[in-house]
């Protein structure tokens, strides 16, 4: 296995920067998810690593080698795609054996590698079947096996689970995680699904508009999103964001909402908003950090229930505050109705504050 380094990588189509000066290092044995909404540049980034597209600028290294100008076949990578791309007329055994036969490996060696890979992926009992006789999940495991037998320096995976139904996706998520754990493989994995990235990857590279927004362990991205884009992209339900003004109150600092409510800030949060442009900020909060009250309470913000979604062990509600939709999770025993007035208490230690103009997280000076 090997590390992968992207150094100032650029891919342009005319005036469009599909990938805009992206630099990141995937350590040897690390599982990194490239994640972001449609069109953010994640597939283009992966294809540049694979060598499937000519690069416009920057360099790519796999292990100690600069591969920027090498053909895909010379980069020591294996790709796994969303459409498994299996040979329909070959058995599973021959699908796995094919890349090795192309490399003219001995029959004994091929047999051993195919059976080893089949064992890792628990598909030994399927070796004599053809792809059409397999379920979607089994086909995906064969596709992983075909990558595995090649013993590459790096696995590149492009939305490998997106053709599977929801239940199977969850199951395959843990299988790919296991695959990574067992092999200590270096994996670069593209997904639009933040939950896949959060649950599977050691690190996630969040992209938007061709730019790398944040690159860190999922827990750190979740806890400390660098800007409002990352804050609202990572986490489900999404972090709620409310535009506010920053005002001085007798001796302290408060946030003021569009409908006139004021929320006095703790000393730490007051220091954070000191650096905001034009005294305007965005208040962010995750659903699980909010408390709902049915009557007014000092420091709690007034709102109105918009919708209530019981899911069994937790109830999600959407609350309108200043025309913004705020997500909250509640114990199912809490009885609330649409249009009911409520007051929302924010946790000063777990609220997020962003600059309204730059969208960047505000930090205490
Ligand atoms: P998706 O999840 O929809 O595949 P993505 O994040 O993988 O999206 P890319 O496929 O990498 O996004 O595309 C990044 C940007 O580059 C998009 O704006 C896309 O329209 C543009 N793009 C991609 N390929 C081409 C091309 N061959 N010609 C022109 N523009 C392209």
């Amino acid at each position: 296995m090997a590390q992968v380094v992207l150094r100032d990588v650029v891919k342009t189509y005319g005036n469009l920067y599909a990938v805009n000066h992206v630099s990141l290092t995937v350590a040897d044995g690390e599982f990194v998810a490239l994640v972001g909404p449609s069109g953010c540049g994640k597939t283009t980034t992966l294809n540049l690593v694979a060598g499937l597209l000519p690069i416009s600028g920057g360099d790519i290294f796999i292990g100690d080698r600069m591969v920027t100008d090498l053909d895909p076949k010379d980069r020591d990578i294996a790709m796994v795609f969303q459409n498994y791309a299996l040979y329909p007329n070959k058995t599973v055994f021959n699908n796995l054996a094919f890349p090795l036969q192309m490399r003219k490996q001995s029959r004994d060696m091929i047999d051993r590698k195919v059976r080893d890979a089949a064992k890792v992926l628990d598909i030994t009992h399927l070796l004599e079947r053809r792809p059409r006789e397999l379920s979607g999940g089994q086909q995906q495991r064969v596709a992983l096996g075909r990558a595995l037998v090649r013993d590459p320096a790096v696995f590149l995976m492009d939305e490998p689970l997106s053709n599977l139904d929801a239940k199977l996706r969850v199951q395959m998520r843990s299988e790919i995680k296991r695959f990574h754990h067992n092999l200590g493989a270096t994996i670069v994995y593209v997904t639009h699904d933040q939950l896949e990235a959060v649950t599977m990857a050691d690190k996630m590279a969040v992209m938007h508009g061709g730019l790398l927004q944040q690159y860190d362990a999922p827990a750190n991205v979740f806890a400390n999103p660098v800007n409002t884009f990352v804050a609202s992209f990572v986490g489900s339900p999404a972090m709620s964001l409310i535009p506010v003004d920053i005002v001085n109150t007798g001796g302290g600092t408060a946030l003021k909402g569009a409908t006139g409510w004021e929320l006095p800030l703790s000393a730490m949060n007051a220091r954070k908003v000191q650096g905001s442009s034009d005294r305007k900020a965005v208040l962010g909060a995750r659903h699980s950090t909010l408390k709902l009250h049915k009557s007014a309470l000092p420091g709690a913000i007034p709102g109105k229930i918009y919708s209530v979604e019981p899911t069994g062990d937790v109830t999600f509600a959407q609350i309108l505050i200043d025309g913004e939709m705020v997500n909250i999770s509640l114990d199912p025993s809490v009885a609330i109705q649409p249009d009911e007035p409520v007051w929302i208490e924010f946790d000063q230690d777990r609220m997020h504050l962003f600059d309204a103009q730059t969208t960047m997280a505000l930090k205490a000076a």
Side-chain angles (χ1 to χ4, degrees):
M1 289 294 146
Q3 69 165 3
V4 179
V5 178
L6 279 70
R7 199 168 65 194
D8 209 21
V9 167
V10 174
K11 176 69 187 174
T12 52
Y13 292 106
N15 292 331
L16 175 85
Y17 277 77
V19 179
N20 196 343
H21 296 280
V22 166
S23 295
L24 61 86
T25 297
V26 181
D28 187 359
E30 210 164 43
F31 186 153
V32 165
L34 301 179
V35 62
S38 181
C40 72
K42 53 195 185 298
T43 297
T44 305
T45 304
L46 192 80
N47 288 341
L48 290 172
V49 176
L52 299 175
L53 290 171
I55 201 165
S56 311
D59 280 309
I60 296 172
F61 299 82
I62 295 179
D64 300 331
R65 289 191 310 156
M66 184 160 95
V67 299
T68 315
D69 299 316
L70 295 185
D71 280 349
K73 67 175 172 36
D74 299 324
R75 294 191 180 203
D76 200 8
I77 50 153
M79 289 200 81
V80 182
F81 296 99
Q82 155 180 358
N83 58 354
Y84 323 116
L86 300 177
Y87 301 104
N89 296 325
K90 291 187 194 291
T91 61
V92 168
F93 184 98
N94 285 327
N95 263 283
L96 296 185
F98 189 66
L100 304 175
Q101 288 161 348
M102 294 301 284
R103 291 190 197 173
K104 310 245 179 301
Q105 297 198 350
S106 74
R107 189 181 282 244
D108 281 356
M109 173 77 93
I110 292 175
D111 194 71
R112 188 171 57 74
K113 284 190 175 170
V114 168
R115 288 185 191 283
D116 283 354
K119 209 162 138 196
V120 169
L121 291 157
D122 195 20
I123 51 174
T124 305
H125 60 297
L126 305 174
L127 285 174
E128 295 316 315
R129 294 208 201 161
R130 284 172 216 281
R132 66 173 175 279
E133 297 162 338
L134 303 177
S135 70
Q138 290 168 335
Q139 290 185 44
Q140 190 51 280
R141 266 184 269 160
V142 177
L144 280 172
R146 208 173 39 177
L148 181 57
V149 290
R150 296 176 51 190
D151 191 20
V154 181
F155 290 91
L156 303 178
M157 304 192 184
D158 190 357
E159 304 255 10
L161 306 186
S162 56
N163 275 351
L164 304 177
D165 66 44
K167 199 167 159 199
L168 206 53
R169 249 194 337 256
V170 173
Q171 190 186 328
M172 281 303 291
R173 227 158 58 193
S174 51
E175 290 201 17
I176 292 186
K177 229 176 143 170
R178 198 69 222 169
F179 173 87
H180 173 247
H181 177 80
N182 290 346
L183 294 175
T186 307
I187 299 180
V188 185
Y189 184 105
V190 162
T191 177
H192 65 277
D193 181 349
Q194 60 88 27
L195 189 61
E196 258 180 35
V198 168
T199 52
M200 297 169 77
D202 297 320
K203 275 194 189 160
M204 59 200 290
V206 185
M207 295 187 68
H208 182 44
L211 292 164
L212 180 60
Q213 307 285 317
Q214 190 163 4
Y215 182 46
D216 207 339
N220 293 340
V221 175
F222 187 82
N224 299 305
V226 292
N227 58 27
T228 52
F229 171 78
V230 177
S232 57
F233 185 76
V234 177
S236 176
M239 182 188 287
S240 307
L241 298 169
I242 308 170
V244 289
D245 286 323
I246 294 154
V247 294
N248 293 328
T249 54
T253 307
L255 303 179
K256 184 169 184 179
T259 50
W261 52 263
E262 284 189 13
L263 174 62
L265 289 178
S266 66
M268 169 60 88
N269 286 329
R271 277 177 44 216
K272 284 187 185 170
V273 298
Q274 261 173 19
S276 63
S277 326
D278 296 337
R279 310 275 289 159
K280 286 187 186 302
V282 175
L283 166 63
R286 297 215 181 269
H287 61 90
S288 54
T289 66
L290 297 174
K291 274 200 196 134
L292 178 136
H293 298 277
K294 292 202 165 202
S295 52
L297 185 86
I301 298 177
K304 196 161 79 167
I305 303 282
Y306 181 77
S307 67
V308 184
E309 295 171 2
T311 66
D313 49 3
V314 59
T315 294
F316 292 105
Q318 291 187 306
I319 295 160
L320 272 172
I321 296 180
D322 291 355
E324 303 292 332
M325 215 56 99
V326 171
N327 295 304
I328 185 168
S329 48
L330 301 164
D331 189 274
S333 64
V334 178
I336 42 168
Q337 301 296 330
D339 294 331
E340 195 177 328
V342 289
W343 285 260
I344 302 301
E345 189 182 348
F346 284 72
D347 181 339
Q348 295 270 340
D349 292 332
R350 293 196 287 167
M351 66 166 61
H352 297 256
L353 291 160
F354 302 93
D355 189 301
Q357 196 179 315
T358 65
T359 79
M360 300 302 285
L362 289 164
K363 293 199 168 59

